[in-house]
Amino acid sequence: MRVLTCLYHEHNLWIVALSALMCLVGCLASMKLFQRTFFESGTVRFQWCFLSAFTAGSAIWATHFIAMLGYRPGVPVTLGGTLTVLSALIAVGGIALGLMVAWTRNRFISVFTGGGIIGLSIAAMHYVGMFAYRADGIVRWLPEYVIASLILTVGFSALTIDRLRKTGDGKNILLPAGSFAAAIVVLHFTGMAAFTVTPLPGVQAGADSDAFLALAAAVAMVALFIIGAGLSTHLLERRTKSKSDERLRHIALHDALTEVANRRAFTEALRIECGKLDKFGRPFALLMIDLDSFKPINDTLGHPAGDIVLQKVAWRLRHAVRRGDMVARIGGDEFAVIAYGLNSEDEAAALAARIVEILGRPYIMQGQVAEIGASVGVSLAPDHGCDPGTLVQYTDIALYTAKRADERGYRLFELTMQEATQRRRLLEVDLRRACMREDFQIAYQPVIDSATGAFTGAEALLRWTCPKRGNVQPSEFIPVAEELGLISRIGAMVLKKACIDAASWPGHLDLAVNISPVQLLDPRLPQTVFQALEDSGFPAARLELEITETALLGNDEIVMRTLTELRDFGIRISLDDFGTGYSSLSYLHRFPINRIKIDKSFVQQLPADAGSASIVRAIAQLGQSLQMKITAEGIETDEQMAFIAEHGCDDVQGFLISRPIDADKIIGLFQRETSKAAA
Amino acid sequence: MNAYTSDKQFSRLLYTSALDIECCGEKPAETVRRIAEGAAEQNRLSDLTGSLLFVNGVFIQILEGPQDEVEKAFERICCDFRHVDVRLIDLINVSERLFEGWNMAFLSDDEMSSLALGDELQEIQFLAGVNASQATLQMRSLLDNHSAASKA
């Protein structure tokens, strides 16, 4: 009660209000600084501690002296300089010490010891300050108020530390600041209630000395400056920090090369957008873009050129999308777009078409030209899915389908795609397993001399009987094997097995083995072939490797080197499926080719179709003049056989002679003929 | 790099593209004129010279100047959806400009142009498809003829 009456009767309320305001501002500033000391470490932590202690100490000191200006004891008053300064040092030192204790992990020590030290130092500052305050009257202290003031201030200080620990680095510091202000204000006014002055009889109740006013005002002002300095340091530091935070954030969420969002930002944005879809039903489209034939740019023009292309791709993407759409680079040459608020298939298709168009335009950098294309997969939310996982998966499937289509471009997700993709993934799994177990068989299709009808050899054909799916056509699984990089292994296995099988054939019969374009680009091919020959003891002169025209496109040098090496070893090369591919006649004399195999699509239309007939005749003549052997494939009728024999094809193969049969059967076939010839 | 590289300080680029009719609404001729004016202004700033023809809905443009400026200009064109079917016909390094003084000469086969000009433009369009260097020279001589004719 006395606290309130003392406050009301013995103080100038305006000045008290000013001191309370001063106290609150000081406390807010101090709390911000206190917070910092909890999160820094090392020397910096002590520097912040020093600054905090100065600010908080000044806040206490200023509150005290401004409030003292408002105190009207009714007697003349003077101030002792030394004790006044000492009181300030006590406040600063005590708070610094308390803070350091409050840093400990132990909550009890931190709150009670740390808070206690701070509370006691506030009290010590106050009472030392009061000793500096000399009133010309009889001074009496009321011990119960002194004790109450001590308990209250320690309690509030402990609460301050406790709240501060809870707040962490949160923004809202009102609670700890309020509690700290309470510790200061409550101590001050309870302390003042403990202090009574009775005017000496005879001494006139006069004005305070000018010196007192000047000193008190100076103290208040200095304290204010210190608080201001502490506050502005904090603000300045926070601004620099938030700037560098922003830069760090930018680096964390953007791709360094292309400056578009990175995978992390993309994932986050997609998650947020899916959340918005849930809450507000806002639709959007997800597009994933994969560059076609980008890798050759890195390989031929170098990585710096590849990087420039990627930058240009990102730049063009930003032009292609609508304002506000997100462009992200989510992999080496993979990009993604989130098109906000887009939900019609037509709009999505139009956007995808723009992307395909703009990315397909030529790129030039440092005088070099690069042509790439883009495949785009599109899915729509909520039509196709509502969660990031499903959308990404479906978009991926659409992209996968787009990439495999003959005509590159974009594809919108459809449920049937999922089945097709699923089928293919399963095929991939089975194929890998088959490859690991060498679960392939070889069938042989005999070749005969068209003039004599005698066997000249056989072509080895790869067969795969999957335990689950039965016979799988080579046309179905070979492209998959090529893509999975399994073809060289499968090819090597075929070569090995076929050479071993053929080693037991009669000595005049040849073996033909198919080599895929991917194998032909593998520089280890000659080694594989030589190894197979060596292991089986099959002579190189009886081996013929069948390649297709597509294998000869592009990479001239590698293929030429490989083929020359094989030829030098005595192995013959034949050109398979002639007439169906590019059929460039320049291949025929540029590469070391010994034989041309006329594709069965021409043979099967013989002899009725005049066009096919003249093509077959022309190829046969070409072979003769270039001194190459000619084989006709796919002979099914006697008429075809007659036509072929008449027009000078050396060898023939086809169902008319024999279907492809397994190794045991073909050796029987060959032996029968040999024994017949001997008989 | 060869011994001549150092002399060849300029790039010359020839491309063709079609005007996207859908994007330009009612007045294709106006879009074409805007594109031409924009190109001329931009080229003045970028130290580029050359010539822009518009014939049968197709742009045939030559850009020549410092290598990086030519590349920047071409990238701008590639980002412009008013063009479709952008085809790079030729990109070579040259030691001197062929279109010195022409920031971007513009000729088109609109209703105002003479029959003779129309024929010449068509011939260049054909040449651009088969012989880039011949097309370039023809574009240069077309400018001489045309400016002589307009002075006369």
Side-chain angles (χ1 to χ4, degrees):
Chain A
M1 220 38 234
R2 168 146 169 81
V3 178
L4 291 182
T5 47
C6 156
L7 186 62
Y8 188 73
H9 291 295
E10 297 169 18
H11 285 82
N12 175 335
L13 286 180
W14 284 111
I15 295 186
V16 168
L18 179 70
S19 89
L21 182 71
M22 167 81 222
C23 176
L24 203 63
V25 172
C27 288
L28 283 169
S30 310
M31 283 313 114
K32 270 285 161 208
L33 294 168
F34 279 17
Q35 248 185 339
R36 279 306 297 267
T37 68
F38 278 89
F39 291 96
E40 293 291 350
S41 57
T43 334
V44 185
R45 193 176 199 183
F46 286 97
Q47 285 162 359
W48 280 106
C49 174
F50 177 79
L51 195 63
S52 317
F54 254 92
T55 309
S58 311
I60 300 163
W61 200 45
T63 307
H64 174 80
F65 277 98
I66 295 174
M68 290 313 290
L69 282 178
Y71 182 60
R72 307 253 170 255
V75 295
V77 173
T78 53
L79 263 184
T82 323
L83 282 177
T84 304
V85 172
L86 182 68
S87 71
L89 291 182
I90 288 172
V92 172
I95 283 175
L97 187 68
L99 260 184
M100 284 189 244
V101 175
W103 291 338
T104 76
R105 281 183 182 282
N106 184 315
R107 182 157 174 265
F108 185 82
I109 297 180
S110 162
V111 170
F112 290 98
T113 319
I117 293 174
I118 291 175
L120 289 177
S121 61
I122 297 173
M125 184 268 134
H126 176 82
Y127 291 111
V128 171
M130 288 310 291
F131 290 131
Y133 186 85
R134 305 222 179 84
D136 288 345
I138 300 161
V139 171
R140 211 156 52 83
W141 289 89
L142 306 176
E144 64 273 26
Y145 284 100
V146 174
I147 292 166
S149 78
L150 288 180
I151 294 171
L152 282 170
T153 191
V154 167
F156 277 117
S157 299
L159 182 69
T160 305
I161 297 296
D162 187 52
R163 292 292 103 193
L164 205 55
R165 283 170 67 99
K166 280 247 170 63
T167 317
D169 61 351
K171 280 211 158 56
N172 192 350
I173 49 151
L174 280 179
L175 223 63
S179 151
F180 193 54
I184 298 169
V185 172
V186 166
L187 174 102
H188 182 84
F189 293 106
T190 318
M192 289 316 287
F195 179 80
T196 59
V197 187
T198 318
L200 286 174
V203 175
Q204 227 178 0
D208 297 337
S209 70
D210 285 347
F212 167 74
L213 274 178
L215 186 59
V219 164
M221 219 138 77
V222 167
L224 208 63
F225 289 156
I226 294 174
I227 293 170
L231 196 65
S232 64
T233 310
H234 165 74
L235 291 178
L236 262 179
E237 211 265 350
R238 203 179 58 174
R239 230 182 64 196
T240 359
K241 193 160 171 281
S242 75
K243 255 190 201 159
S244 65
D245 280 357
E246 222 164 83
R247 242 191 58 233
L248 278 177
R249 206 180 130 71
H250 183 89
I251 291 170
L253 296 180
H254 287 78
D255 176 51
L257 177 67
T258 60
E259 283 292 309
V260 294
N262 62 13
R263 187 175 193 104
R264 201 170 134 186
F266 163 74
T267 311
E268 182 64 13
L270 186 60
R271 195 181 59 73
I272 291 172
E273 204 51 30
C274 284
K276 281 190 190 156
L277 181 69
D278 257 6
K279 264 192 225 151
F280 315 114
R282 195 171 85 148
F284 64 95
L286 175 62
L287 291 86
M288 299 215 296
I289 300 123
D290 190 90
L291 303 182
D292 302 325
S293 51
F294 174 71
K295 201 176 166 292
I297 294 175
N298 272 342
D299 294 346
T300 57
L301 303 180
H303 282 271
D307 285 353
I308 294 176
V309 170
L310 287 174
Q311 283 169 338
K312 292 195 174 192
V313 164
W315 179 248
R316 288 186 187 183
L317 271 177
R318 289 206 289 221
H319 272 272
V321 300
R322 302 158 318 148
R323 190 181 294 268
D325 288 348
M326 178 188 226
V327 175
R329 181 175 174 221
I330 55 173
D333 60 349
E334 265 183 88
F335 291 83
V337 170
I338 300 177
Y340 300 108
L342 191 155
N343 72 335
S344 85
E345 292 203 350
D346 291 347
E347 275 180 83
L351 179 58
R354 272 165 78 87
I355 290 173
V356 170
E357 159 75 26
I358 201 170
L359 295 186
R361 295 178 179 181
Y363 297 80
I364 55 178
M365 60 269 150
Q366 287 142 24
Q368 289 172 313
V369 183
E371 301 257 2
I372 58 175
S375 300
V376 181
V378 187
S379 73
L380 298 173
D383 299 11
H384 297 142
C386 297
D387 66 291
T390 311
L391 284 169
V392 167
Q393 191 200 340
Y394 286 179
T395 315
D396 224 4
I397 289 173
L399 175 61
Y400 187 83
T401 313
K403 269 202 103 73
R404 258 150 208 80
D406 289 333
E407 200 174 315
R408 293 283 165 88
Y410 65 87
R411 287 286 183 283
L412 256 69
F413 174 75
E414 288 162 27
L415 274 174
T416 49
M417 283 179 185
Q418 198 184 12
E419 290 158 30
T421 313
Q422 185 71 10
R423 249 200 330 273
R424 201 190 133 102
R425 297 250 154 94
L426 289 175
L427 180 66
E428 286 179 12
V429 171
D430 289 342
L431 191 60
R432 276 185 200 281
R433 187 177 304 131
C435 191
M436 225 130 69
R437 298 180 182 166
E438 305 209 334
D439 242 358
F440 299 98
Q441 298 83 40
I442 299 171
Y444 296 92
Q445 184 168 41
V447 180
I448 61 165
D449 184 320
S450 68
T452 65
F455 289 121
T456 60
E459 179 181 356
L461 297 163
L462 181 61
R463 290 285 179 267
W464 177 32
T465 311
C466 175
K468 272 188 271 172
R469 50 186 92 226
N471 280 326
V472 186
Q473 287 301 309
S475 58
E476 192 179 341
F477 74 83
I478 288 190
V480 180
E482 285 185 343
E483 209 171 299
L484 296 180
L486 298 173
I487 199 70
S488 289
R489 220 168 121 185
I490 297 175
M493 193 206 71
V494 171
L495 264 169
K496 205 171 106 188
K497 271 195 184 171
C499 285
I500 292 173
D501 288 343
S504 56
W505 296 351
H508 65 284
L509 297 176
D510 294 339
L511 169 69
V513 179
N514 288 286
I515 299 293
S516 95
V518 178
Q519 269 177 291
L520 199 59
L521 285 176
D522 187 343
R524 293 167 303 182
L525 180 67
Q527 195 50 47
T528 312
V529 176
F530 302 156
Q531 192 65 46
L533 290 172
E534 200 183 314
D535 291 349
S536 60
F538 188 72
R542 283 167 58 198
L543 180 64
E544 198 164 281
L545 298 180
E546 297 192 357
I547 61 173
T548 56
E549 289 165 300
T550 23
L552 302 178
L553 280 174
N555 295 293
D556 271 13
E557 257 175 62
I558 304 172
V559 173
M560 181 61 109
R561 206 177 310 136
T562 307
L563 291 182
T564 312
E565 200 174 333
L566 289 167
R567 188 198 53 192
D568 292 349
F569 205 69
I571 295 160
R572 282 166 294 144
I573 309 292
S574 65
L575 202 52
D576 209 359
D577 304 337
F578 191 78
T580 56
Y582 297 83
S583 303
S584 163
L585 296 183
S586 70
Y587 295 144
L588 292 179
H589 74 90
R590 210 167 61 223
F591 292 99
I593 290 163
N594 306 84
R595 180 189 293 275
I596 298 173
K597 297 186 82 172
I598 304 174
D599 190 67
K600 57 173 173 278
S601 58
F602 300 113
V603 174
Q604 272 158 3
Q605 293 181 43
L606 292 177
D609 184 63
S612 298
S614 33
I615 290 174
V616 170
R617 261 199 304 270
I619 298 175
Q621 277 167 11
L622 192 69
Q624 273 165 4
S625 51
L626 290 171
Q627 270 130 36
M628 287 177 189
K629 296 262 190 186
I630 304 291
T631 300
E633 288 180 286
I635 305 281
E636 288 175 4
T637 67
D638 291 321
E639 288 79 27
Q640 290 167 354
M641 183 70 195
F643 184 93
I644 290 294
E646 186 190 335
H647 288 94
C649 290
D650 307 276
D651 301 306
V652 290
Q653 68 186 83
F655 290 173
L656 183 65
I657 298 103
S658 168
R659 290 178 173 272
I661 48 179
D662 64 29
D664 299 337
K665 285 197 185 130
I666 200 155
I667 198 153
L669 199 64
F670 286 156
Q671 275 164 356
R672 267 204 301 286
E673 195 205 44
T674 318
S675 50
K676 232 189 289 172
Chain B
M1 289 270 160
N2 58 42
Y4 303 103
T5 313
S6 53
D7 303 339
K8 300 191 169 177
Q9 44 173 335
F10 297 118
S11 283
R12 187 186 302 139
L13 182 151
L14 172 62
Y15 79 89
T16 64
S17 70
L19 176 70
D20 185 5
I21 303 297
E22 280 169 29
C23 84
C24 51
E26 306 263 297
K27 296 173 181 162
E30 194 162 310
T31 308
V32 171
R33 217 191 48 244
R34 267 209 308 277
I35 291 177
E37 283 166 3
E41 177 59 29
Q42 188 65 50
N43 294 343
R44 218 184 331 277
L45 297 173
S46 312
D47 191 24
L48 291 174
T49 52
S51 167
L52 172 64
L53 308 186
F54 184 68
V55 45
N56 295 334
V58 172
F59 291 102
I60 304 168
Q61 188 174 19
I62 288 177
L63 285 164
E64 57 175 22
Q67 189 181 34
D68 57 333
E69 291 297 343
V70 169
E71 289 178 10
K72 272 190 225 157
F74 186 66
E75 189 59 31
R76 271 197 299 275
I77 291 156
C78 284
C79 287
D80 188 341
F81 279 100
R82 292 174 301 184
H83 298 265
V84 289
D85 195 18
V86 178
R87 291 185 197 178
L88 180 60
I89 307 287
D90 199 19
L91 173 66
I92 51 170
N93 290 328
V94 290
S95 48
E96 55 189 51
R97 293 177 194 257
L98 195 60
F99 291 82
E100 188 70 59
W102 296 95
N103 271 118
M104 194 43 67
F106 174 60
L107 287 172
S108 110
D109 61 346
D110 57 17
E111 56 274 17
M112 269 130 63
S113 61
S114 69
L115 261 177
L117 174 62
D119 285 349
E120 278 190 272
L121 287 172
Q122 305 235 347
E123 192 184 339
I124 291 171
Q125 187 189 12
F126 168 73
L127 275 174
V130 290
N131 185 338
S133 58
Q134 193 58 41
T136 307
L137 292 175
Q138 197 93 0
M139 283 171 80
R140 181 68 188 90
S141 66
L142 179 64
L143 288 185
D144 288 336
N145 298 343
H146 190 69
S147 58
S150 56
K151 267 174 211 152

